[in-house]
Amino acid sequence: MSNPKTNQSWGGRFTESTDAFVATFTASVDFDRRMYRQDIDGSIAHARMLTRSGVLSDTDCVAIVDGLAAIRREIEHGEFTWSIALEDVHMNIEARLIERIGDAGKRLHTGRSRNDQVATDVRLYLRDAIDTILTEMRRLLGGLAEQALREAATIMPGFTHLQVAQPVTFGHHLLAWFEMVKRDHERLTDCRQRVNVMPLGAAALAGTSYPLDRHYTAQLLGFTAPCANSLDAVSDRDFAIEFTAAAAILMTHLSRMAEELILWSSAQFDFVDLPDRFCTGSSIMPQKKNPDVPELVRGKVGRVNGHLMALLTLMKSQPLAYNKDNQEDKEPLFDTVDTVLGCLRAFADMIPALRPKRDNMRQSAQRGFATATDLADYLVRRGVPFRDAHEIVGKAVRLGVETGRDLAEMALEELRQFSPLIEDDVFEILALEGSVAARAVLGGTAPSQVREAASLAQTWVNQHIHVNQPS
Ligand code: ARG
């Protein structure tokens, strides 16, 4: 008989009940209940495996599987009462199972501990989350590739030091974003492989004396393999750190994109129009249309970086094997998942709706002596050493600055005072179109290259649509 004053799952050796504050302080049910589906799936697989191995009877197995399915419905219909006294998602569900089916429910925990159970649940949860994130990422990538194709010949200034450097195409810029997010996709896909390994069977820390078929449980749950070492299985949270690190890099990319959108939608740049539905107004300044969505995304990177630091610190110096510290892995992990999904969703919705103001982009490139390098290259093709060409063009630019004109706006005779090698074909290369078209090297900004790169990007997205779908 268990002591009614203490926790029924582990109260046997206790003589006084848990301090009320300690019960609340140590409980995790408020946040780990979001893993209820994974907990139930894991228990069902464990029960089926125990039955196949002859540890559980068929009758008990049916009762357990049906009981857990009924509990899942209770939870989903909001009819389940979660209890702090029962600590966590695992014991809440198990206690309810015992309430529903009696002794069969008490046999479920054979050859298992909450230590391998929770590690399994977190991995299952994260695997699903990664699949959802990858899907959302591909939606964003698809939108970027499509916009890039449409804007392959749209000229804008390319910047270094946030100063106009050389003309580029807007499509080219969007494809730079594409590459960043594509690497994030690769990182998460790679991380998923280390998430998708199964701790169950490690039990508390040392393995178990029951004849468990861990390969079978792993197969039922879609894991690629059981974890190889029971001590490592219950204590490893590398996969959570790795995921959060990949998420932090992704958030860094999104914040860079966000920053550019914020700059570009300002009156000073006026390069893009963010659709009204992604902006809000000001309660005092009637003229305002604020780029809230990109600003929030830019701000949320801080959260994810913080979670990464929290997880690294959580694991630092932890002795083997399970320690209660590990309960602290969930909130940072869950918030990282929520944050990343929210930000990706906002971007995936917003990017296809983005409308560049092509004339403004073009004029801005025109004003910034963006084709000065083209003039230098022109002189080099006529035999001038590059360093001399650089000097000559620098002088021409100075005249432009003094007289408020771009190089293309000067008369041929004016330009020839800097070098007699300049002839009237120079105006083709001083034109923005000529400048971008000339950069047709692989990976360059020429519309021809951008079109090709954008369709390769689209092919990549289409080829990846069916991978990593939830198993
Ligand atoms: N709620 C716990 C966690 O999140 C479950 C594992 C508890 N195990 C234990 N031995 N106290 O880590």
Side-chain angles (χ1 to χ4, degrees), residues 17-28 84-85 87:
S17 55
T18 315
D19 177 270
F21 168 70
V22 172
T24 314
F25 186 69
T26 54
S28 54
I84 296 271
E87 256 184 79

Side-chain angles (χ1 to χ4, degrees), residues 4 30-31 53 77 81 111 139 146 171 173 224 228 230 240 295 322 337 341 378 394 408 434 445 456:
D30 279 348
F31 49 84
S53 310
H77 295 146
T81 315
R139 201 159 72 81
E146 198 188 306
H173 197 110
T224 48
S230 63
E295 282 176 344
Y322 176 86
V337 168
L341 265 177
Y378 172 93
T445 203
L456 281 175

Side-chain angles (χ1 to χ4, degrees), residues 204-215:
L205 75 164
T208 175
S209 56
Y210 296 96
L212 304 191
D213 181 350
R214 299 186 66 213
H215 288 288

Side-chain angles (χ1 to χ4, degrees), residues 28 32 87-88 90 114-115 118 322 324 326-327 330:
S28 54
D32 65 16
E87 256 184 79
D88 54 27
H90 324 293
R114 272 187 298 154
N115 298 352
V118 69
Y322 176 86
K324 184 77 166 180
N326 285 354
Q327 183 164 292
K330 286 166 207 65

Side-chain angles (χ1 to χ4, degrees), residues 386-428:
F386 183 78
R387 284 294 157 217
D388 293 342
H390 186 286
E391 171 77 17
I392 292 167
V393 178
K395 286 181 178 146
V397 166
R398 193 162 67 217
L399 175 66
V401 171
E402 283 162 7
T403 58
R405 287 171 308 159
D406 186 60
L407 298 174
E409 291 165 335
M410 294 179 192
L412 180 59
E413 279 320 306
E414 275 178 293
L415 288 170
R416 282 175 64 88
Q417 63 181 308
F418 301 105
S419 165
L421 295 169
I422 298 177
E423 290 169 42
D424 66 359
D425 59 353
V426 75
F427 292 105
E428 269 161 58

